[in-house]
Amino acid sequence: MTTHTHMLSGPAGKIAVHVSGPTDGPAVLMTHSILSSSMMWREQASLLAATGWRVICADTRGHGQSECQTQSCTMDDLVADSLAVLDGLHIDKAHYIGLSLGGMSGAGFGIQHSNRLLSMVLCDCRADMPTPMGDVWNDRMATASQDGCQSLAVPTTERWFGAPFLASNSATAKAFQDTISQTQVNGFLSCARAIQGLNYLDRISQIKVPTTLIVGANDGPLPQAMQDMQQKIHRSHLEVIPHAGHLPNIDQPHLFNAALMRHFYHHISES
């Protein structure tokens, strides 16, 4: 797969976007979790590009190759980053795929910019942030501020995948731990504060495009949270991936890819 990287102007600095697939294919914008980068979508990006889509993987501010000139932002700021990507590439409408942080900001994008969307796939996310859940980020932010994001690499991957998966998939473990370690502290702090302020649940019924929700069955409270979202989003569909954690595209890729392609083939006529 040939990938071209573009550095686009965004509200917090340059945004790195990695584009693959046919230039005349329907556009798919992919956004990732906090403490990750576009690397987490490599397999799915290759699959979509090989089957005719123009795939745009954006590195979130302060993650991957993207800049971050602030230490605080809101989820609406991350929505603005996604809009800057579409505008910078002169894309009128796109399909949207977001996981975790990318799914949270995707909910905001769907509320605010449905006219720029063909469909949405929101994965392992929620649309609100109850205070006890938001408070867990305080210690993580303090640790990153003191010791850098490398201090979060092992505990984060253990939460995402579980120790047994990491032990038996050493290359994946290293790839994600390296990516976490290389995340800019500014980027992590900004996005963690955005997560703490997440507050879209009361408005997600405003999402008017075909939407598939995908969640790992073992991803803590998120299957229930996403069921609640599904009931509020018109024409949405929920797929629960068995034996999967927070990144089902990584620990159950065949099942995740099947769910993803069901979404796209169902909505291909709307491209």
Side-chain angles (χ1 to χ4, degrees):
M1 179 181 71
T2 302
T3 301
H4 300 282
T5 298
H6 306 265
M7 301 301 293
L8 304 177
S9 295
K14 295 293 185 182
I15 303 172
V17 296
H18 313 282
V19 182
S20 57
T23 57
D24 59 349
V28 180
L29 175 61
M30 307 185 79
T31 57
H32 58 81
S33 67
I34 195 170
L35 288 173
S36 185
S37 77
S38 295
M39 57 80 72
M40 66 164 280
W41 287 123
R42 194 164 291 140
E43 179 174 334
Q44 288 74 35
S46 295
L47 174 63
L48 289 169
T51 47
W53 278 270
R54 183 188 184 196
V55 182
I56 298 105
C57 290
D59 287 339
T60 299
R61 59 172 67 187
H63 293 65
Q65 299 177 42
S66 290
E67 297 175 349
C68 184
Q69 298 168 354
T70 68
Q71 289 195 345
S72 181
C73 75
T74 66
M75 205 60 70
D76 284 353
D77 292 328
L78 299 182
V79 171
D81 289 351
S82 292
L83 187 63
V85 170
L86 295 186
D87 287 347
L89 294 175
H90 308 291
I91 294 170
D92 181 45
K93 290 191 175 189
H95 298 278
Y96 183 101
I97 304 171
L99 190 149
S100 191
L101 175 66
M104 297 176 197
S105 63
F109 198 97
I111 292 165
Q112 298 170 27
H113 303 291
S114 276
N115 63 313
R116 302 296 297 273
L117 294 171
L118 296 164
S119 75
M120 303 192 80
V121 181
L122 305 179
C123 314
D124 294 81
C125 63
R126 55 186 306 126
D128 65 339
M129 189 54 55
T131 299
M133 293 183 182
D135 285 347
V136 304
W137 292 94
N138 291 329
D139 286 343
R140 299 171 191 171
M141 288 190 286
T143 298
S145 296
Q146 180 173 324
D147 301 317
C149 288
Q150 63 267 22
S151 60
L152 303 175
V154 171
T156 298
T157 51
E158 286 182 346
R159 281 197 308 275
W160 286 352
F161 300 114
F165 178 90
L166 297 175
S168 58
N169 295 271
S170 58
T172 298
K174 184 180 188 304
F176 277 90
Q177 289 170 3
D178 287 350
T179 298
I180 292 168
S181 297
Q182 293 159 13
T183 300
Q184 300 164 43
V185 172
N186 275 5
F188 173 69
L189 295 178
S190 292
C191 292
R193 290 178 174 128
I195 289 171
Q196 289 183 314
L198 176 66
N199 187 26
Y200 291 137
L201 187 61
D202 291 343
R203 290 183 286 153
I204 60 167
S205 62
Q206 296 174 28
I207 295 174
K208 301 302 184 185
V209 297
T211 301
T212 297
L213 308 173
I214 304 177
V215 66
N218 301 335
D219 196 6
L222 290 185
Q224 181 60 53
M226 297 202 76
Q227 183 175 337
D228 295 342
M229 291 171 63
Q230 188 272 325
Q231 293 172 357
K232 293 176 180 287
I233 302 174
H234 180 60
R235 290 198 299 168
S236 65
H237 172 66
L238 176 65
E239 297 249 15
V240 181
I241 307 298
H243 312 296
H246 191 53
L247 273 63
N249 64 310
I250 302 297
D251 58 15
Q252 292 292 343
H254 298 302
L255 294 176
F256 182 91
N257 293 349
L260 185 65
M261 298 313 287
R262 279 193 293 273
H263 171 88
F264 278 105
Y265 284 122
H266 188 258
H267 300 301
I268 192 169
S269 63
E270 298 165 58
S271 299

